[in-house]
Amino acid sequence: MHYSLTAGAQRALIQAERIASGSTEMEPTLAPLLAALALEESRAAEIMLAHQIDLTLILEEFQIQLPGETAAFSTDSPEQPLEMSQALQQYPAFREVLNHAMQQASRSDVPAEIGSEHLLWGLLATSAEESAWLQRAGGLSAEKLDDSINVLFRQTAEPINVDFALRKASATAGDQTNTLRTIDAAANRLREGLRVIEDFLRFSLDDAHLMSLLKTTRHQLADALRFIGTDALISSRDTINDVGTSVSTTSEFDRSSLEHLLQANLKRVQEAARTLEEFSKLISPDAAAIFKQMRYASYTLEKTILTCISSQRRLQESRLYLLVSENLCHHGAGPAIRESLAAGVDLVQIREKSMTDRRILEHGKRVREWTREAGAMLIMNDRPDLAIAIDADGVHVGQEELPVREVRQIVGPRRLIGVSTHNMEQARQAVLDGADYIGVGPTFPTLTKNFASHEYAGLDFVKQVAAEITLPWFAIGGIQADNLQQVLKAGATRVAVSSVICSHEQPGQITRELLEQFSS
């Protein structure tokens, strides 16, 4: 049977024959073809790479040894003689792949040449061991590959007037080229926007956690473009004749601050992702799905970065955060709060586990008056409803309390939400969830909570957070005047304390002593 193959598919079959010739198998398996598809710079190789399958993995799995000259083989000629791969056609397994590939290539209105992607689809359509392995190793199947087959080579071809057919094909090719031009421009715009944001995170915010999120987005962009075909994008590019390059507005050059610059590029990324999502639907639904994920991820990234900046601004001067419990206070909660406020505490949290709701409400309203007079902020522990009732500035929750999303629904957009975290996974998640600040600990054994000895996160956790997260955070747990320097040397710039002030006979004096250590 005669098969019409693209140059890339011909080269893959030539390579497969060379690889098979070095095998000791009586009848070649499909492993040489799979290796050949991965060896060539082809659409099939791009698809496999997008599913984390590369040549090395294939060679190891099927114990294939490449002939010495195979890896170096390449040709720029599109006219390699098909007879070089005729030997393979005598084997049923290869004929089955070719027949499946031909059926796949013929699904459009007119049969197209069999490309490397069609050969890969044909291999997946068999019941061979190699097909089952592709499913296990990369989740790749004939069904999943259907939408990834490059439609650029599908043509229209009703057997009618030749002149009409040529005009139709030309128009279709023009449409495809224009679609690819649009995708290429949007991809460049998105990539450039990501780079500006990355530089901001790197040099202005110095946030390793958010940098890692951005790198994930950059990898997603590369994965999606593999489905489109980078060669096709480059070939379709026409910057010289792009009318958009000569159009600009005055606002395009107006960047009043770093934050303004950041926001402009976040919007650029989101708009480009939407363009990529929509136009990719005409080429590759798989790519469109990735661009959709990227667009949603960009919204989360925008919220996370801007929340970080806003919280840094709101908590810029905050160093000492006092958690008050009546039963820990030497002279009662009232004197401890008032004296510590006078000495410089600028964040007070009401943490009462044994009071009735009515008592907390009454107590909270008094503390609200004291903090407002001192220019300090008031936080309610655990209870978003009471935070609203006493007009607190925010609410703090632990890992067992309501999630940030639900708390935000209750307290609204303006109140702070703090979250207690005990490991890096919780800290990173709190940032993504939209927390305005986090508690990091317990650093040392504490009187306010019971933790098993193995549950203390310690100074190592403080160091990890200091190296990675710039959302405002407070080291907490057992911090006293004699160990505060250890915490500050570990990278903390803010701490939360309780018993060291509440149980002291002179709350104001110990508060001043603690604050002095921040500047020493």
Side-chain angles (χ1 to χ4, degrees):
M1 179 180 291
H2 174 72
Y3 301 97
S4 178
L5 297 104
T6 64
Q10 289 184 35
R11 288 196 298 270
L13 290 176
I14 293 167
Q15 292 283 34
E17 184 177 355
R18 291 185 175 184
I19 296 169
S21 66
S23 172
T24 58
E25 299 285 341
M26 293 296 294
E27 180 171 315
T29 65
L30 294 179
L33 176 59
L34 183 58
L37 290 171
L39 181 64
E40 283 292 315
E41 291 184 3
S42 64
R43 184 74 181 105
E46 291 178 355
I47 291 169
M48 285 191 282
L49 281 174
H51 288 78
Q52 288 75 52
I53 297 170
D54 60 15
L55 179 62
T56 302
L57 197 62
I58 294 169
L59 297 180
E60 290 177 356
E61 175 65 23
F62 296 101
Q63 299 297 301
I64 298 172
Q65 184 68 42
L66 294 178
E69 73 277 9
T70 302
F73 172 81
S74 65
T75 178
D76 295 326
S77 172
E79 298 298 334
Q80 288 294 318
L82 186 57
E83 287 72 20
M84 293 179 69
S85 59
Q86 286 288 348
L88 292 177
Q89 296 185 35
Q90 66 181 296
Y91 298 110
F94 280 90
R95 286 201 304 273
E96 183 184 3
V97 170
L98 286 167
N99 289 335
H100 282 308
M102 183 172 64
Q103 292 171 14
Q104 173 66 20
S106 302
R107 285 186 175 181
S108 58
D109 293 337
V110 248
E113 288 184 310
I114 295 173
S116 65
E117 67 272 30
H118 300 121
L119 290 175
L120 178 60
W121 189 94
L123 191 154
L124 287 164
T126 70
S127 57
E129 176 189 353
E130 292 79 5
S131 176
W133 178 77
L134 285 170
Q135 174 67 36
R136 293 193 306 272
L140 191 56
S141 65
E143 292 76 15
K144 288 186 178 180
L145 189 56
D146 270 332
D147 291 332
S148 300
I149 298 295
N150 197 333
V151 298
L152 291 176
F153 301 103
R154 294 181 185 173
Q155 302 173 350
T156 334
E158 316 250 334
I160 53 177
N161 181 279
V162 174
D163 289 336
F164 172 77
L166 287 174
R167 286 196 299 271
K168 185 174 181 183
S170 176
T172 301
D175 288 346
Q176 291 168 346
T177 299
N178 290 337
T179 298
L180 288 170
R181 283 184 64 200
T182 305
I183 292 173
D184 179 55
N188 290 334
R189 190 161 64 248
L190 189 145
R191 189 183 292 109
E192 292 160 3
L194 288 176
R195 175 61 70 183
V196 174
I197 297 168
E198 182 178 336
D199 286 344
F200 175 88
L201 295 178
R202 179 181 176 187
F203 298 111
S204 295
L205 207 55
D206 195 25
D207 194 299
H209 174 43
L210 297 181
M211 279 273 293
S212 68
L213 296 179
L214 201 67
K215 286 185 177 179
T216 298
T217 303
R218 291 170 68 86
H219 289 316
Q220 285 181 311
L221 174 60
D223 290 341
L225 292 180
R226 288 193 189 99
F227 284 109
I228 304 296
T230 52
D231 289 345
L233 291 173
I234 294 296
S235 298
S236 302
R237 185 178 298 171
D238 187 11
T239 307
I240 293 176
N241 295 306
D242 183 354
V243 296
T245 60
S246 61
V247 178
S248 62
T249 62
T250 54
S251 61
E252 184 178 343
F253 300 96
D254 177 20
R255 298 291 184 265
S256 57
S257 65
L258 280 172
E259 189 172 341
H260 184 197
L261 179 148
L262 170 70
Q263 289 178 314
N265 281 277
L266 284 164
K267 294 306 179 188
R268 174 179 295 171
V269 165
Q270 291 160 6
E271 291 164 0
R274 186 68 195 203
T275 296
L276 287 166
E277 178 187 341
E278 291 300 322
F279 280 85
S280 292
K281 292 173 183 177
L282 301 171
I283 303 293
S284 168
D286 284 337
I290 296 175
F291 289 131
K292 182 177 181 179
Q293 294 173 358
M294 289 177 62
R295 182 164 57 84
Y296 287 138
S298 72
Y299 298 145
T300 299
L301 183 67
E302 177 182 32
K303 174 186 175 182
T304 304
I305 297 174
L306 295 181
T307 296
C308 183
I309 294 171
S310 173
S311 296
Q312 284 186 347
R313 188 180 297 119
R314 292 181 71 177
L315 298 172
Q316 184 175 4
E317 303 300 326
S318 298
R319 294 290 177 267
L320 196 58
Y321 182 162
L322 175 62
L323 287 68
V324 182
S325 296
E326 178 75 31
N327 58 3
L328 290 178
C329 295
H330 188 77
H331 299 296
I337 293 171
R338 289 193 298 271
E339 289 185 38
S340 62
L341 286 170
V345 161
D346 48 24
L347 262 172
V348 174
Q349 181 188 130
I350 297 175
R351 188 179 184 277
E352 299 292 351
K353 300 292 187 179
S354 56
M355 281 187 185
T356 64
D357 286 0
R358 182 163 294 188
R359 281 196 62 198
I360 295 176
L361 180 63
E362 295 171 352
H363 174 59
K365 288 181 176 179
R366 287 194 297 271
V367 178
R368 173 72 284 184
E369 292 178 7
W370 301 333
T371 53
R372 190 166 280 143
E373 289 171 1
M377 285 184 278
L378 174 62
I379 305 295
M380 174 61 70
N381 181 257
D382 290 352
R383 298 288 298 275
D385 55 338
L386 287 173
I388 294 174
I390 66 173
D391 194 23
D393 297 289
V395 63
H396 188 93
V397 293
Q399 291 296 315
E400 304 301 321
E401 280 74 54
L402 288 175
V404 172
R405 181 180 183 276
E406 279 66 27
V407 176
R408 183 65 70 195
Q409 293 290 323
I410 298 170
V411 301
R414 301 191 182 282
R415 288 188 170 88
L416 295 170
I417 299 177
V419 177
S420 296
T421 66
H422 314 303
N423 56 53
M424 281 307 298
E425 183 179 352
Q426 292 175 357
R428 293 175 185 132
Q429 189 59 51
V431 172
L432 294 180
D433 287 342
D436 296 293
Y437 72 88
I438 59 175
V440 173
T443 310
F444 304 108
T446 172
L447 298 176
T448 59
K449 280 193 175 183
N450 295 320
F451 287 92
S453 58
H454 66 278
E455 293 179 322
Y456 286 99
L459 291 172
D460 286 342
F461 182 32
V462 173
K463 292 175 183 177
Q464 286 179 300
V465 175
E468 187 171 323
I469 291 175
T470 59
L471 184 78
W473 55 275
F474 296 82
I476 187 172
I479 297 174
Q480 306 286 333
D482 59 0
N483 62 24
L484 175 57
Q485 279 303 308
Q486 296 179 56
V487 182
L488 298 179
K489 287 178 181 178
T493 57
R494 302 175 178 87
V495 300
V497 298
S498 185
S499 60
V500 63
I501 291 178
C502 287
S503 62
H504 201 279
E505 290 189 5
Q506 295 180 305
Q509 178 183 325
I510 189 62
T511 296
R512 283 186 287 271
E513 291 178 8
L514 291 170
L515 286 170
E516 285 172 2
Q517 292 198 42
F518 284 92
S519 55
S520 63

